[in-house]
Amino acid sequence: MWDSTLLIYLDGGDVEVSGSPTEKAILSWAVKLGMEFDVIRSQSKVLQVFPFNSEKKRGGVAVQRTDSKVHIHWKGAAEILLASCTRYIDSNGVLQPIDEDKDFFKAAINDMAASSLRCVAIAYRSYELDKVPANEENLDKWVLPEDELVLLAIVGIKDPCRSGVEDAVRVCTQAGVKVRMVTGDNLHTAKAIALECGILGSHADATEPNIIEGRVFREYSEKERESVAQKITVMGRSSPSDKLLLVQALRKGGEVVAVTGDGTNDAPALHEADIGLSMGIQGTEVAKESSDIIILDDNFASVVKVVRWGRSVYANIQKFIQFQLTVNVAALVINVVAAVSSGDVPLNAVQLLWVNLIMDTLGALALATEPPTDHLMHRSPVGRREPLITNIMWRNLLIQALYQVGVLLVLNFRGKSILNLNDESREHATDVKNTMIFNTFVLCQIFNEFNARKPDEINVFSGITKNRLFMGIIGFTFILQIILIEFAGKFMSTVRLNWELWLASVVIALVSWPLAAIGKLAPVPETPLTVYLGKPFRRWRTGQHA
């Protein structure tokens, strides 16, 4: 227990132990059995410390007792430390050869591991004082002997899953996120914990290569690791380098990888991953510096929140792009067609500036504040090479843009007769027609913002009351549009519209809702549209190189 800082605070008879979770558990148990830690520690002098090594799965300390005897104590992975033991102390305190009873100890380790207990062995050996390096320089280089150990105890430590972890694993699995467990525990313990947490569905899944030892994985060639990595669910007795190899193999296979870790040795894997998640409480500064996100409560359930918010941000960006492209396509086509055919444009520069304000500022603010929903966790993850604009977005965009362009071009070329303006003066009729086009166009964008909220859902109003900012922006935009039409005619080059024309504008814009609902019933191909559009270019480029 000398290989890390451990302090006992006595307050009203209660004992508090600080240190690593494993050492805290063992020392707390020893104190309950009556061990006087402070007394024992005061009677010993620490000569050399070998900190816990993730590769060797053990840590040791050499101490000199008051009788000048030197003891070298080791603790670490039970089955590994057991292999270095030649004797053990029985219940009567008598030294016994271990060869005949080794199978018994191995069975005990396997039984505890099967019950998801972390097995730690504690052993020691005597050492001659005159063989201990005398000077400080040689003492620092002294390698503690690891052979001919005497087994003192095999301890099973229960590290129960936190409440909510099993639910978090299930939610991640349903969201298409494969949860893999990489641990230094032996394979039996790792398997039991994985079954308890739901990482492994059943005992039938606990077969190689679903469950594998780090030693076996690292012995594969690079190509074999890439193939096996896709199937691995649990890796036991792993070292930090195994974790890094797994991350590299998964990334080479095109996977988007997130890694959790808390130790200094986890830093390379955290840095290599697409998303590194370090622990805020138990995590070391090195791990935190190497990570992208720090989980403040050290709870795996918080990973679900990371996934939800990550998908929400990505989805909100897609919503805004769909909305923005619809506005741009419709405005561009209307003005270009009108300019080419008649030499006059229905939407002037000031009006387009107002449309851009709706699109770039208010629209972005409204759609970017959409909170995460459970629906996001039922989508498949977005691949590394998937396009930002999906086929669903193209479908929605084209439906709305074609509708707006069609209606507004009809108003532009037949508006005077449709609106009964033939009896008006030519200048006034043109102003009313253009104002009607501008007003209808803006209202179409306001109504289309609702459609952009749910690109792949028919009910675009679900959860709308939870986003008060969205409703506030929609209301603010609508009121400003009324003010611009009715009271800022000189500035906007518009005229006032009567209630009938306002009603007609609202009805035309309102049609976008049922149109969007019907359009979402149309299936879209899984292959991205960009693949089809890129085929002629790829054929041309192939012909150039031929």
Side-chain angles (χ1 to χ4, degrees):
M1 294 299 173
W2 278 268
D3 61 337
S4 65
T5 302
L6 292 163
L7 299 174
I8 300 177
Y9 301 95
L10 301 176
D11 185 10
D14 294 330
V15 178
E16 182 180 345
V17 184
S18 68
S20 71
T22 300
E23 291 173 350
K24 284 171 66 176
I26 296 174
L27 191 53
S28 297
W29 170 63
V31 170
K32 287 179 181 179
L33 292 178
M35 184 188 78
E36 296 179 353
F37 178 77
D38 290 335
V39 175
I40 294 174
R41 191 163 191 175
S42 65
Q43 295 174 349
S44 305
K45 176 187 175 183
V46 178
L47 299 176
Q48 175 66 300
V49 173
F50 180 80
F52 182 82
N53 185 287
S54 299
E55 297 286 343
K56 293 189 174 184
K57 304 296 181 188
R58 68 178 71 186
V61 61
V63 296
Q64 182 179 349
R65 300 173 60 175
T66 52
D67 56 5
S68 295
K69 289 183 178 180
V70 175
H71 281 186
I72 298 172
H73 293 267
W74 290 96
K75 78 171 188 307
E79 72 275 15
I80 294 177
L81 210 57
L82 180 64
S84 301
C85 293
T86 57
R87 294 177 294 172
Y88 72 95
I89 297 179
D90 65 14
S91 56
N92 298 318
V94 179
L95 281 172
Q96 301 287 353
I98 204 170
D99 292 338
E100 294 181 1
D101 295 310
K102 230 168 195 179
D103 290 339
F104 166 77
F105 290 120
K106 288 179 180 178
I109 293 170
N110 290 336
D111 288 343
M112 285 192 285
S115 301
S116 69
L117 296 178
R118 178 173 294 163
C119 300
V120 178
I122 302 171
Y124 87 103
R125 64 162 291 170
S126 299
Y127 200 72
E128 295 80 5
L129 180 59
D130 55 359
K131 291 184 179 180
V132 177
N135 60 65
E136 195 71 28
E137 184 179 349
N138 291 334
L139 189 62
D140 290 338
K141 298 177 181 178
W142 183 35
V143 178
L144 300 183
E146 303 177 18
D147 58 341
E148 297 183 4
L149 302 181
V150 177
L151 181 66
L152 295 174
I154 295 175
V155 182
I157 302 173
K158 180 66 175 177
D159 189 8
C161 292
R162 288 192 181 189
S163 59
V165 170
E166 188 175 355
D167 291 336
V169 171
R170 187 182 67 255
V171 171
C172 285
T173 302
Q174 291 173 348
V177 178
K178 183 176 176 63
V179 180
R180 293 176 167 89
M181 185 172 78
V182 182
T183 176
D185 293 331
N186 73 47
L187 219 51
H188 295 289
T189 304
K191 171 186 170 183
I193 294 173
L195 287 168
E196 185 181 344
C197 296
I199 295 174
L200 286 174
S202 64
H203 287 277
D205 297 331
T207 56
E208 198 170 317
N210 283 351
I211 179 168
I212 193 172
E213 274 196 1
R215 173 184 54 81
V216 177
F217 180 71
R218 81 176 75 104
E219 288 175 356
Y220 286 133
S221 66
E222 187 174 334
K223 287 292 182 182
E224 288 173 328
R225 280 199 296 266
E226 287 182 37
S227 175
V228 172
Q230 302 291 334
K231 304 171 186 176
I232 292 175
T233 304
V234 176
M235 184 185 292
R237 279 289 174 253
S238 66
S239 65
S241 61
D242 297 329
K243 201 172 190 177
L244 177 61
L245 288 173
L246 179 61
V247 172
Q248 291 172 338
L250 289 170
R251 292 195 70 200
K252 286 178 181 176
E255 302 287 346
V256 178
V257 184
V259 171
T260 61
D262 57 6
T264 301
N265 291 331
D266 292 325
L270 290 169
H271 185 266
E272 179 71 19
D274 295 286
I275 305 169
L277 302 158
S278 63
M279 302 299 142
I281 300 172
Q282 293 289 342
T284 63
E285 288 302 317
V286 175
K288 293 175 184 178
E289 288 293 330
S290 301
S291 65
D292 303 293
I293 299 171
I294 300 174
I295 301 177
L296 297 178
D297 59 1
D298 284 16
N299 195 340
F300 178 79
S302 298
V303 174
V304 175
K305 296 178 183 177
V306 173
V307 175
R308 283 170 64 92
W309 279 101
R311 291 189 175 190
S312 178
V313 170
Y314 187 82
N316 288 346
I317 292 172
Q318 288 183 313
K319 294 171 187 177
F320 172 65
I321 290 175
Q322 177 185 306
F323 174 70
Q324 185 185 47
L325 287 178
T326 304
V327 178
N328 283 339
V329 169
L332 181 65
V333 172
I334 292 165
N335 269 10
V336 168
V337 172
V340 170
S341 59
S342 62
D344 190 21
V345 291
L347 300 174
N348 62 38
V350 177
Q351 292 169 353
L352 287 175
L353 186 64
W354 167 236
V355 170
N356 278 322
L357 181 63
I358 297 174
M359 175 185 69
D360 291 333
T361 308
L362 299 178
L365 189 60
L367 294 172
T369 55
E370 281 292 308
T373 62
D374 292 335
H375 176 71
L376 292 172
M377 299 303 288
H378 294 98
R379 290 183 181 178
S380 298
V382 178
R384 189 186 301 278
R385 295 179 178 84
E386 288 188 30
L388 182 61
I389 305 176
T390 64
N391 286 354
I392 290 176
M393 293 169 64
W394 282 118
R395 179 196 63 193
N396 299 340
L397 185 159
L398 291 173
I399 289 173
Q400 293 297 323
L402 289 174
Y403 169 69
Q404 292 177 22
V405 169
V407 169
L408 297 180
L409 285 179
V410 169
L411 285 176
N412 186 62
F413 294 112
R414 295 288 182 266
K416 292 181 182 179
S417 59
I418 294 173
L419 302 176
N420 297 319
L421 299 174
N422 291 327
D423 296 334
E424 304 286 340
S425 65
R426 182 177 179 181
E427 183 179 351
H428 179 69
T430 301
D431 288 342
V432 172
K433 179 201 70 173
N434 288 344
T435 301
M436 181 66 180
I437 291 173
F438 169 61
N439 194 46
T440 303
F441 180 67
V442 170
L443 291 183
C444 280
Q445 310 321 317
I446 293 175
F447 280 74
N448 191 38
E449 277 193 71
F450 289 87
N451 296 327
R453 287 186 67 244
K454 307 287 182 181
D456 54 351
E457 295 181 58
I458 292 178
N459 183 9
V460 296
F461 304 105
S462 63
I464 198 167
T465 55
K466 296 179 181 178
N467 192 348
R468 295 181 180 178
L469 183 60
F470 179 88
M471 296 302 298
I473 290 174
I474 292 294
F476 177 71
T477 307
F478 190 75
I479 291 170
L480 271 182
Q481 179 65 14
I482 295 174
I483 293 172
L484 291 176
I485 295 294
E486 297 298 320
F487 304 105
K490 189 173 182 181
F491 174 69
M492 299 296 294
S493 301
T494 58
V495 295
R496 291 187 174 185
L497 300 178
N498 59 38
W499 68 270
E500 292 175 333
L501 294 181
W502 269 103
L503 181 61
S505 296
V506 171
V507 170
I508 292 171
L510 193 63
V511 172
S512 66
W513 286 350
L515 187 66
I518 295 170
K520 287 171 184 175
L521 298 175
V524 295
E526 292 185 5
T527 305
L529 184 62
T530 50
V531 174
Y532 296 111
L533 296 177
K535 280 183 179 179
F537 174 74
R538 284 193 294 272
R539 288 172 184 166
W540 174 81
R541 191 170 60 178
T542 303
Q544 291 290 104
H545 291 291

